[in-house]
Amino acid sequence: MKKSIKILVGFLAFIAVFVGTYFYAKYFGTIGFKVNEYIIEDKDISEDYDGLQIVHLSDIHFDDDLNVDNFKKIISDVNLHKPDIVVFTGDLISNTISDEKYEELVEIMNTLEVSIGMYAIDGNHDYKYKRWNNLIEDCGFINLNDSYEIIYTDSYESIFIAGISNNTYTTKNIEDKSETIFDYLNSDEYNSTYNILLMHEPDFITDIDYKLFDVVMAGHSHNGQVRLPFIGAFYTPTNAKNYYKPYYNLDGTHFYISNGIGTSELPVRLFNKPSYNLYRIAKK
C-alpha cells in the first residue's frame, strides 16, 4: 500500500511539474525579448560602409498564438537602433491568416524605419500562403526569393545581397534556384565589396558555395524553441538538425541563425526568449 502511494505521489508530482513548465513556457517564455548584438569585422568592406547596421528578423509566425503587444515592442526597439538595413529570413506567418490579421501585420511592419532598405525571403510556412508575395511587399520588404539586389548608398562601392527561397516545399533543388545568384557572382559584372545571403533552413548551407559570401543569415531552427539547462536544444525541426545554434564560422564565412520571435508546432518557448539580431559591420 505504501509503495502504491509513493508511486501515485511521484506520478502526481511529475504531472504538476509538467503542467507548470508548460504553463510557464506558454505564458511567460513567449513574452519579453532580447537583442543579440554582433560586431562583424571585415578587412574587405569599404570604408563607406564601416559601421553599417543590419537588423535580422525571422520566424515571426504571426498568428493567434503570437503576443502582438510583445511583437510591437520588439519592432519599436528595432527602430531605436536606427538600422540601415532590415532583413527577414522566413516564416512571417503560420500557413494562413485572416484579412484582419493581414492588415494588422502590415500596419505593424510599416512602422519599421530604415535608411537603406528591407529585404525578405519566404519560409516553409509562408510557402503555403498564396498571398505571401503581396503580403511581404505590403509590409515594405523587397522580395529576394531566388534573386539579388546591388546596394549603393552615397558610395561608388556596392553591397551584394541575395536570397534563396524555402527548400522544404519546392519544385527545384537549391542549386537550380540559386543559379542566377551564383552566375552573377562569377561574372565579369560582379564588383561588390561585401556579400550577404539570406536563407531559411540552415542545413542547406552545405549545398551551395557559401564561401562566396561574407555573411549568411538564416532562421527556421529557433535555436531550439525549447532549451534545457546543460543540454541546449531539446528539439529542432527538419532541415535544422546539423546547424541550429546562433553562430558558426564556416571556412571564414559568418553563419548566423536567428532564434526567431514567434512559435511553431507548439505555442511555447523555454529558456529561449524571442529575439532579433543586430549586426554592426566594421572595417578591420
Side-chain angles (χ1 to χ4, degrees):
M1 186 70 177
K2 290 183 178 180
K3 184 176 181 181
S4 298
I5 293 175
K6 287 182 179 179
I7 293 174
L8 178 61
V9 170
F11 177 73
L12 292 176
F14 172 80
I15 294 297
V17 170
F18 179 84
V19 171
T21 300
Y22 183 86
F23 182 87
Y24 173 84
K26 178 176 174 63
Y27 296 104
F28 294 95
T30 55
I31 62 173
F33 64 92
K34 63 178 182 177
V35 184
N36 305 309
E37 298 190 37
Y38 301 95
I39 296 177
I40 306 175
E41 294 185 318
D42 194 293
K43 60 182 177 58
D44 295 324
I45 190 75
S46 166
E47 290 185 359
D48 295 325
Y49 296 103
D50 184 23
L52 184 80
Q53 293 200 124
I54 302 175
V55 162
H56 177 191
L57 302 173
S58 194
D59 297 273
I60 293 170
H61 292 281
F62 195 84
D63 55 23
D64 291 335
D65 290 321
L66 181 72
N67 186 307
V68 175
D69 288 336
N70 194 61
F71 177 51
K72 289 179 179 178
K73 291 177 182 177
I74 292 173
I75 297 301
S76 295
D77 193 74
V78 168
N79 288 334
L80 292 177
H81 292 285
K82 301 185 184 301
D84 299 296
I85 294 171
V86 170
V87 301
F88 180 74
T89 54
D91 283 354
L92 183 61
I93 62 172
S94 293
N95 304 331
T96 188
I97 52 175
S98 66
D99 290 343
E100 290 77 15
K101 280 287 184 182
Y102 185 109
E103 296 300 329
E104 184 180 22
L105 176 56
V106 168
E107 182 179 355
I108 295 170
M109 297 302 273
N110 273 281
T111 63
L112 282 167
E113 300 171 0
V114 298
S115 62
I116 294 178
M118 306 201 300
Y119 306 89
I121 57 169
D122 70 2
N124 55 301
H125 286 274
D126 298 318
Y127 180 80
K128 302 175 184 179
Y129 184 56
K130 295 181 179 179
R131 295 179 65 192
W132 184 85
N133 288 339
N134 300 109
L135 175 60
I136 207 68
E137 291 174 8
D138 287 345
C139 286
F141 287 84
I142 294 172
N143 184 348
L144 277 189
N145 276 349
D146 308 327
S147 61
Y148 63 86
E149 288 278 323
I150 311 298
I151 297 173
Y152 289 94
T153 54
D154 297 324
S155 172
Y156 291 107
E157 305 287 350
S158 65
I159 291 176
F160 177 85
I161 183 168
I164 300 176
S165 60
N166 95 89
N167 294 284
T168 300
Y169 304 106
T170 180
T171 57
K172 299 170 68 176
N173 62 42
I174 190 170
E175 293 90 346
D176 292 339
K177 290 197 300 181
S178 59
E179 184 176 359
T180 300
I181 296 169
F182 286 98
D183 280 351
Y184 179 79
L185 284 172
N186 291 301
S187 72
D188 293 334
E189 298 177 33
Y190 167 75
N191 64 353
S192 298
T193 62
Y194 203 72
N195 298 336
I196 300 169
L197 176 66
L198 311 181
M199 62 188 302
H200 185 61
E201 305 98 332
D203 281 358
F204 287 97
I205 186 70
T206 54
D207 292 340
I208 59 172
D209 189 1
Y210 58 79
K211 294 179 183 177
L212 293 180
F213 292 92
D214 298 285
V215 60
V216 179
M217 303 172 189
H220 188 58
S221 79
H222 297 207
N223 298 155
Q225 193 169 291
V226 172
R227 301 182 62 82
L228 300 177
F230 309 111
I231 295 175
F234 178 73
Y235 166 82
T236 58
T238 302
N239 299 321
K241 301 296 186 182
N242 298 320
Y243 297 96
Y244 55 86
K245 296 179 181 180
Y247 174 76
Y248 298 88
N249 187 316
L250 302 180
D251 303 310
T253 294
H254 300 288
F255 188 26
Y256 293 95
I257 303 173
S258 169
N259 80 343
I261 293 172
T263 60
S264 177
E265 298 185 13
L266 288 175
V268 299
R269 279 181 172 268
L270 186 62
F271 301 114
N272 185 6
K273 285 287 187 181
S275 77
Y276 68 87
N277 290 356
L278 173 64
Y279 312 106
R280 291 185 174 91
I281 313 298
K283 188 170 182 62
K284 191 172 184 178

